[in-house]
Amino acid sequence: MIIIRALAFLLFFTVIPMAVGRLITYKARVSLTEEYLIGFFGNLGIFYILYSVIAWLQLWVTMGEAVTGAFTLLLKAYFPLIAVLLIAWLVLERKSFSAGIKTATTKFGIITKKIFTDGFTVIYFLAFMAVLVLQLYMAYGYEVNEWSYDDYDYVVSSKDTITYDALSYVNIIDGTMPNTLEKRLAYSWDSYIAMLSKVSGFEVTTVCHTILPVLFLLIAYGVYYYIAQFIFEKTDDRLIFLLILSFAYIFGLYSHYSVTFRLLGAIWQGKAVLTVIAIPFFTMYLIKSYSSTLSNGRILPIIAISMGASSLTSLGIIFIPIMAVITWVLMCAYNKRIYGIRYLIASLVGPAYLGVFYTLIWMLQSDATGGSDQYFPFRRRHEWWYKWFKENI
C-alpha cells in the first residue's frame, strides 16, 4: 500500500506534468524539458484556479461560525479534472508515443555521446554528478533538521488544511477558526503540499523536509542545465557552468536571505520554489520566446507558467512582474522597437489574477470584521452552495 501511495505521489512529478505540458504546448511543440516544466507549473496553475474559487466560497458562507469541508471539495474538483486531462493526453498522443520515446532516446544518446567521447567532458560530468549526489544526500538526510521561522507558517498551515478540512482558515498558533490572513489565503502552495500529503499518506513534515528537497533539487538543476544550453554551445562548457554554480551554492549560505538557503536549506517553501526554479525558468523561456518568431502558440504556455508561479507565494505579485517587464524592455531595446506585447500581457496574467484574488479576499474580510457589509451587502448565510460545507461545531 505504501508503494502504491508513493507511486501516486510521484505521478505529480512525472506523468502529470508531462501530460499537462504536452496538452498546453499542443499547438507549439517545444523541447521535452520545456514541456515538463510548462506542465509542472501549468498543473500548479490549474490547482490554483480551483483553490481560489473554493477558498472564496469558504469565506463567502462564513458569517461568524467556522465552516469546514473546503479541502475535501477542492480534492473532489481537482482529481477528476486531472483524470480528464490525462485521458485527453492519452487519446491525443496515442499515435505518437513511440515517436516521442524514440526522440527522447535519440537526444539522450546524443548527449551521452558528447559526454563520453571527450576525456575532459567525462571528468566534468563525473565531478558534477559527485557534487549533485552530495547535495541530494544532504537534502534527504539532513534537511529534516532544517527549520526556519517560515515553517511555522508553511508546514503548520499545510497540516491544518488536512486536520481541519479547511483552506488557510486556521490560526497557526492556537488552532482557532475562522482566522484568515489575506497574504496566506491568496496563494495555494500550502494546500498543494497538503494534497501531496493526503495522496501519499506521508506526513506533511516528511513531504516538506525529506521528499520535496530531493525532487526540487533535481528539477532546479534541470532548469540550470536548460539555461546552460541557451548560453553555451559545447557540452563541456555547460558542465563547467553547472559545477561552478554548484560550488557557488554550496559555499553561499551566509544568511537565511541568501539564494543558497532557498535551494539547499528550505526549498519546499513557496518563495524558494519561486526564486530558484520558477523565476530562472520563466526568464529563460521568455527570452527564448522573444528571440524566436512571435507565435500565438506560445501565449498559453506563458500564461500557464505565470499562473503556476503566482500560486507559490503572495510575493509573486512583485517578483514576476519585475522579471517580466525587465525581460520585455531588454528585448524591445535589442529589437529597437516595441516588441512582443502579447507575451508581456500573457506573462502578467498570473500576478494580475493573484492581485485580484487578494483584493477580493481583503474586501470580504473587511465585511466580516467590520460589522457591516460594505462591499458585498447581498451576501447571505444560506446560499445554495452552502450544502458543500458544514459548520465546525
Side-chain angles (χ1 to χ4, degrees), residues 345-358:
I345 295 174
S347 63
L348 295 177
V349 168
Y353 188 93
L354 173 60
V356 170
F357 183 44
Y358 183 97

Side-chain angles (χ1 to χ4, degrees), residues 32-66:
L32 290 175
T33 302
E34 288 174 330
E35 287 177 349
Y36 174 83
L37 290 167
I38 290 170
F40 180 79
F41 289 109
N43 176 48
L44 292 181
I46 292 170
F47 187 87
Y48 183 39
I49 293 173
L50 295 175
Y51 164 89
S52 61
V53 172
I54 295 171
W56 170 261
L57 293 179
Q58 173 186 255
L59 288 185
W60 185 269
V61 300
T62 301
M63 301 293 289
E65 304 90 349

Side-chain angles (χ1 to χ4, degrees), residues 5 71-72 75 79 162 192-202 204 207:
R5 284 181 171 270
F71 183 56
T72 298
L75 298 186
F79 289 146
I162 299 173
Y192 191 81
I193 290 177
M195 181 275 295
L196 293 175
S197 175
K198 190 76 172 180
V199 167
S200 63
F202 301 136
V204 169
V207 171

Side-chain angles (χ1 to χ4, degrees), residues 45-313:
I46 292 170
F47 187 87
Y48 183 39
I49 293 173
L50 295 175
Y51 164 89
S52 61
V53 172
I54 295 171
W56 170 261
L57 293 179
Q58 173 186 255
L59 288 185
W60 185 269
V61 300
T62 301
M63 301 293 289
E65 304 90 349
V67 298
T68 59
F71 183 56
T72 298
L73 180 60
L74 175 59
L75 298 186
K76 288 181 178 179
Y78 174 67
F79 289 146
L81 179 57
I82 289 299
V84 170
L85 293 177
L86 286 175
I87 293 172
W89 169 63
L90 291 173
V91 172
L92 292 173
E93 301 280 330
R94 65 187 184 280
K95 295 181 180 180
S96 58
F97 280 119
S98 58
I101 294 174
K102 184 178 180 181
T103 301
T105 304
T106 302
K107 289 184 178 180
F108 180 77
I110 293 172
I111 295 174
T112 304
K113 184 178 180 180
K114 287 181 179 179
I115 291 175
F116 290 101
T117 53
D118 184 277
F120 282 106
T121 305
V122 173
I123 294 174
Y124 299 145
F125 173 74
L126 294 177
F128 170 67
M129 290 305 298
V131 175
L132 177 59
V133 169
L134 174 63
Q135 292 175 81
L136 293 173
Y137 169 74
M138 296 298 291
Y140 177 79
Y142 291 93
E143 285 195 22
V144 67
N145 298 316
E146 177 58 60
W147 284 88
S148 77
Y149 57 89
D150 283 335
D151 275 343
Y152 291 103
D153 195 332
Y154 283 106
V155 176
V156 174
S157 294
S158 300
K159 182 63 177 178
D160 286 344
T161 296
I162 299 173
T163 302
Y164 297 95
D165 197 8
L167 302 175
S168 300
Y169 197 64
V170 184
N171 187 304
I172 60 175
I173 304 300
D174 58 17
T176 56
M177 299 189 298
N179 187 282
T180 300
L181 293 176
E182 291 89 348
K183 69 174 184 178
R184 182 151 53 88
L185 188 65
Y187 61 87
S188 61
W189 180 243
D190 295 346
S191 297
Y192 191 81
I193 290 177
M195 181 275 295
L196 293 175
S197 175
K198 190 76 172 180
V199 167
S200 63
F202 301 136
E203 283 293 329
V204 169
T205 307
T206 302
V207 171
C208 290
H209 286 258
T210 302
I211 303 174
L212 289 184
V214 174
L215 295 175
F216 280 146
L217 263 178
L218 293 174
I219 294 174
Y221 277 104
V223 170
Y224 303 149
Y225 185 77
Y226 168 74
I227 295 173
Q229 284 179 308
F230 184 80
I231 300 175
F232 304 103
E233 182 179 356
K234 296 182 179 179
T235 304
D236 55 349
D237 291 336
R238 297 169 184 173
L239 292 172
I240 292 172
F241 168 79
L242 291 178
L243 265 174
I244 295 174
L245 187 64
S246 296
F247 280 109
Y249 271 123
I250 290 173
F251 292 100
L253 185 57
Y254 53 84
S255 78
H256 274 203
Y257 297 98
S258 68
V259 181
T260 295
F261 175 72
R262 299 303 172 198
L263 180 71
L264 302 179
I267 196 172
W268 57 85
Q269 296 178 359
K271 64 185 72 174
V273 181
L274 177 71
T275 53
V276 301
I277 296 178
I279 293 294
F281 170 66
F282 200 11
T283 303
M284 186 52 59
Y285 184 77
L286 284 177
I287 292 174
K288 290 186 68 175
S289 298
Y290 283 117
S291 302
S292 307
T293 303
L294 297 181
S295 169
N296 290 334
R298 286 186 177 268
I299 292 178
L300 183 57
I302 291 174
I303 292 175
I305 301 170
S306 178
M307 286 295 297
S310 299
S311 74
L312 296 168
T313 171

